[in-house]
Amino acid sequence: MLRRSLRMALQRQEFSIDYQPIVGDKGVAGFEALLRWDHPLLGTIPPSVFIPMAESDGLMPEIGSWVLDQACREALEWPEEFTLAVNVSPAEFLTDGLTDRISQTLDEIGLAADRLEVEITEGVLLERTVDNLDTLNTLSVLGIRISLDDFGTMYSSLSYLKNFPFDTIKIDKYFVSDLENNEKSQAIVRSVIVLAHALEMAVTAEGVETPAQAQWLNDLGCDRIQGYVISPPLKVNAMKSFLTTLKQGPGGGTPVSNDKASQDWLGTDIESRT
Ligand code: C2E
Ligand code: CA
Ligand code: CA
């Protein structure tokens, strides 16, 4: 039943996109687009359930195109300094003409290529290596940034880091969740940061939930963090007030947690953004 309704979901306009802030030492750097499906009878279905389904039923290229188009249109309303990160699934990545479609969408909507970040997982890179390298190089030449998502959970192949033009490595929440009390996670995160920086790549840590984790990441030299400690993914309306609050500066109150570690991450940015 779920599979059947998934086929109709796009047409029935049941999808929406939430946006989760990604912050660096100068404050909010951008937002990651996260797809949501509100089923009319079953309510919200998590992406971990419907995305693999859409992927195996061959629906992902079409759904992914909708996400890209919709997210680029919504990002056009944001201040220009904010980037938009969009997840691209393996099936979508391997469809012909992906780079043409992305650059056409950007042209049509009028979003600068350097505001778009494409997030892929290593699963994408397992097949058709030469074609994949071509695709990533083309995106890179267009000025689109590329992030390697969920790093550390799959093969974490160093040859990918050597051969593919990533701008950012996203460290999976698996290594972040016990950062305060697990020396092995600390060692892994520290090493990935050193490795990424040596390769001139930035590091974003995902799933940062506590001020202590944010503090650890700051101390380890992580470039950006993303997680509930800063903000959960925001619905369109919450996103609008988040942006308004950022614009208003301290008088408007900070839209994110005001613990010290989060504030360290946000630096003086919120205050200076008046
Ligand atoms: P992801 O790309 O790794 O996205 C991060 C996930 O972590 C999101 O789950 C987000 O809501 C969640 N998250 C954020 N902060 C925290 C935190 O502090 N703690 C914890 N425990 N979780 C946090 P979500 O939204 O359920 O998405 C799950 C996955 O579905 C995504 O993982 C991504 O792989 C996929 N996905 C979501 N939207 C899209 C899309 O538009 N296209 C494609 N291809 N995949 C998508
Ligand atoms: Ca992602
Ligand atoms: Ca991830």
Side-chain angles (χ1 to χ4, degrees), residues 171-180 205-208 213 217:
I171 299 185
D172 195 75
K173 48 182 168 281
Y174 177 69
F175 303 99
V176 174
S177 59
D178 60 0
L179 200 53
E180 298 113 297
E206 302 187 287
V208 187
Q213 289 162 3
L217 291 159

Side-chain angles (χ1 to χ4, degrees), residues 132-199:
N132 288 335
L133 186 58
D134 267 0
T135 305
L136 290 178
N137 281 335
T138 308
L139 292 176
S140 198
V141 167
L142 287 170
I144 295 166
R145 274 171 281 185
I146 303 155
S147 301
L148 181 57
D149 207 351
D150 303 341
F151 189 73
T153 54
M154 295 179 78
Y155 301 91
S156 310
S157 165
L158 297 181
S159 67
Y160 295 150
L161 294 187
K162 181 178 165 190
N163 293 318
F164 294 106
F166 299 114
D167 300 279
T168 300
I169 293 178
K170 296 189 81 171
I171 299 185
D172 195 75
K173 48 182 168 281
Y174 177 69
F175 303 99
V176 174
S177 59
D178 60 0
L179 200 53
E180 298 113 297
N181 42 36
N182 188 321
E183 286 179 10
K184 290 188 180 168
S185 291
Q186 290 159 14
I188 289 169
V189 171
R190 182 183 291 115
S191 312
V192 171
I193 292 171
V194 169
L195 177 65
H197 287 171
L199 295 167

Side-chain angles (χ1 to χ4, degrees), residues 20 32 35-36 47 51 87 89 149-150 173 207 209 227-228 233:
Q20 187 176 35
E32 178 176 0
L35 182 60
R36 297 292 177 255
I51 287 181
N87 292 285
S89 73
D149 207 351
D150 303 341
K173 48 182 168 281
E209 293 184 350
Y228 301 156

Side-chain angles (χ1 to χ4, degrees), residues 16-18 20 32-36 45-52 55 60 63-64 66-68 85-90 92 119 121 149-150 170 172-173 177 206-210 213 226-233:
S16 61
I17 303 175
D18 285 0
Q20 187 176 35
E32 178 176 0
L34 293 159
L35 182 60
R36 297 292 177 255
I45 316 284
S48 55
V49 171
F50 75 81
I51 287 181
E55 183 96 353
M60 221 38 224
I63 295 176
W66 178 84
V67 172
L68 180 73
V86 172
N87 292 285
V88 175
S89 73
E92 203 187 337
E119 296 195 0
T121 58
D149 207 351
D150 303 341
K170 296 189 81 171
D172 195 75
K173 48 182 168 281
S177 59
E206 302 187 287
V208 187
E209 293 184 350
T210 67
Q213 289 162 3
Q226 180 180 0
Y228 301 156
V229 72
I230 300 293
S231 161

